[in-house]
Amino acid sequence: MELLTDLTLGRYFTFKEADKLPIHRWFHYKEGFSPQLVHKLIDEGFGGPLLDPFMGSGTTLLAADEKCIESYGIDVSPLSVFVAETKVRKYGRDVLKELESFAKALKTFKDEAKWTFELFPPQRAFPPRNYHAILKIREAIEHLEYPVKSLALLALISIIPRTSFVVKDGGVLRIMKHKRVGDAYDIYRRTAKKIIHDTQKFKHCIEGKAEFGDARRMPIEDETISSIITSPPYLNNVDYSKVYGMELSLLTLNKRATVETRKHLLPSFIGVKGSFGEYKEMAANSYFKASEEVWKEFHRVLKEGGKVAYNVSNAVIHGEHIAVDEKIAEIAENLGFKNVKIIVGLIRKTRINRRIYKVRESLITAEK
């Protein structure tokens, strides 16, 4: 394997750039990368059909659409599939007018949905006025027809951070009563208006396709994919089913949605040491074993000469620095991938138990 450095890439390893762009900004997914990373890779030869097997909020699909590249995405989270599927679709003027009318009628809604969440009662996380407003909007959405129903629901789940006392602090949801929040009705109207504006402005070329699936057992035929651009869950002890649990539970109105999703997640939130072949000395053996299954699937679905770009971060667990990028690159080489490179794009300083660690984020590239 070859180790390179390109610190200009680091700015694209976060979602900050996406937050400024039409449609990309509909749902803040801080763990995602920016569409500029996808654009850069496409310009460097990553063609279609293009696959993102850890789809997140659909950034790869939407960025490929902008470049007129055929794309597919899969994810084990119903929330991710819903968000991505809603973002990549084209909508006619009639749908946008219906969304506009719906947003204008908010205060006329009477009935309230029943919302439960695994970690705590949702009402604890909101001012009373916002909690009841959200339940009324959620119940009214049930009476809409697809596709306006999808847009209305995405608008609602996206405003949870701005209307609640909840703060996403790493892998923890904290309720901070002193946090300033806006009025749910007002924020929802402005969000719907933004969706309408972005939809009118965005020029679709080739709609991406999003579906539910596990990267270790992909519902994709052999040797049908030309390129893979993705970022798996980092090895960081963060349970993403909990971090986005409120959004998932409001989407599904199912208290067990987070529990069911957690069963299928890549095991990235491991807190104990173990053994896995040559990684016996390393923590989080399950993560590397699952990663090997993922890369076996990459080898199966890629055409000969197909390319992979895999955004990962190194980790510190139990005081031990884990070179995740090197271990994943080694797995790729052992499976027969060629021209394997680690391109370091970002070096972060993180404080753990009063010690400072330098942790790099990298892009692993390889060819079948």
Side-chain angles (χ1 to χ4, degrees), residues 293-308:
E293 294 176 29
V294 169
W295 278 79
K296 283 180 179 178
E297 279 290 89
F298 288 179
H299 201 277
R300 179 183 67 80
V301 302
L302 278 171
K303 299 176 182 177
E304 195 65 33
K307 299 181 178 183
V308 181

Side-chain angles (χ1 to χ4, degrees), residues 24 112 119 157 179 230 244 274 282 325 348 368:
H24 290 284
E112 297 187 357
L119 299 182
I157 64 175
K179 176 187 170 186
T230 196
Y244 292 96
M282 305 303 292
D325 51 8
R348 294 182 290 105
K368 179 178 175 180

Side-chain angles (χ1 to χ4, degrees), residues 257-277:
T258 52
V259 177
E260 294 302 318
T261 298
R262 190 173 305 124
K263 294 177 182 178
H264 303 287
L265 292 176
L266 199 75
S268 62
F269 43 96
I270 305 299
V272 297
K273 292 190 176 184
S275 60
F276 170 55

Side-chain angles (χ1 to χ4, degrees), residues 46-98:
F46 280 67
L50 172 62
L51 171 68
D52 186 345
F54 296 98
M55 179 173 53
S57 64
T59 298
T60 298
L61 276 62
L62 205 55
D65 184 353
E66 294 173 290
K67 288 286 190 175
C68 294
I69 297 292
E70 180 184 2
S71 64
Y72 300 88
I74 63 174
D75 206 289
V76 297
S77 168
L79 176 66
S80 289
V81 175
F82 168 76
V83 171
E85 193 172 45
T86 303
K87 286 167 62 176
V88 300
R89 293 289 167 258
K90 298 178 183 178
Y91 300 98
R93 291 182 180 178
D94 56 331
V95 174
L96 301 183
K97 285 183 178 179
E98 191 175 350

Side-chain angles (χ1 to χ4, degrees), residues 33 40 55 66 92 109 134 137 153 215-216 232 239 250 263 272 301 314 341 368:
F33 48 66
K40 177 179 173 61
M55 179 173 53
E66 294 173 290
F109 303 151
I134 286 172
I137 297 169
L153 189 48
R216 291 164 288 184
D239 182 347
L250 184 59
K263 294 177 182 178
V272 297
V301 302
N314 288 354
K341 299 177 182 177
K368 179 178 175 180

Side-chain angles (χ1 to χ4, degrees), residues 22-171:
I23 299 186
H24 290 284
R25 62 181 180 171
W26 288 1
F27 186 86
H28 178 71
Y29 190 70
K30 67 175 184 176
E31 291 78 17
F33 48 66
S34 292
Q36 289 89 338
L37 178 63
V38 182
H39 292 163
K40 177 179 173 61
L41 291 167
I42 289 174
D43 290 343
E44 293 176 354
F46 280 67
L50 172 62
L51 171 68
D52 186 345
F54 296 98
M55 179 173 53
S57 64
T59 298
T60 298
L61 276 62
L62 205 55
D65 184 353
E66 294 173 290
K67 288 286 190 175
C68 294
I69 297 292
E70 180 184 2
S71 64
Y72 300 88
I74 63 174
D75 206 289
V76 297
S77 168
L79 176 66
S80 289
V81 175
F82 168 76
V83 171
E85 193 172 45
T86 303
K87 286 167 62 176
V88 300
R89 293 289 167 258
K90 298 178 183 178
Y91 300 98
R93 291 182 180 178
D94 56 331
V95 174
L96 301 183
K97 285 183 178 179
E98 191 175 350
L99 178 62
E100 183 179 28
S101 298
F102 179 81
K104 287 179 178 179
L106 298 181
K107 290 189 177 181
T108 66
F109 303 151
K110 302 298 182 184
D111 296 333
E112 297 187 357
K114 304 297 182 183
W115 181 19
T116 56
F117 176 42
E118 176 192 10
L119 299 182
F120 48 77
Q123 58 265 36
R124 283 181 50 201
F126 296 88
R129 69 182 189 279
N130 282 356
Y131 176 68
H132 292 293
I134 286 172
L135 294 188
K136 289 177 181 179
I137 297 169
R138 183 63 182 87
E139 177 61 26
I141 287 172
E142 284 300 297
H143 302 288
L144 296 175
E145 298 291 334
Y146 177 86
V148 70
K149 181 176 182 178
S150 295
L151 287 175
L153 189 48
L154 178 55
L156 182 61
I157 64 175
S158 74
I159 71 172
I160 288 178
R162 290 173 288 163
T163 59
S164 73
F165 298 126
V166 171
V167 173
K168 291 180 170 68
D169 183 9

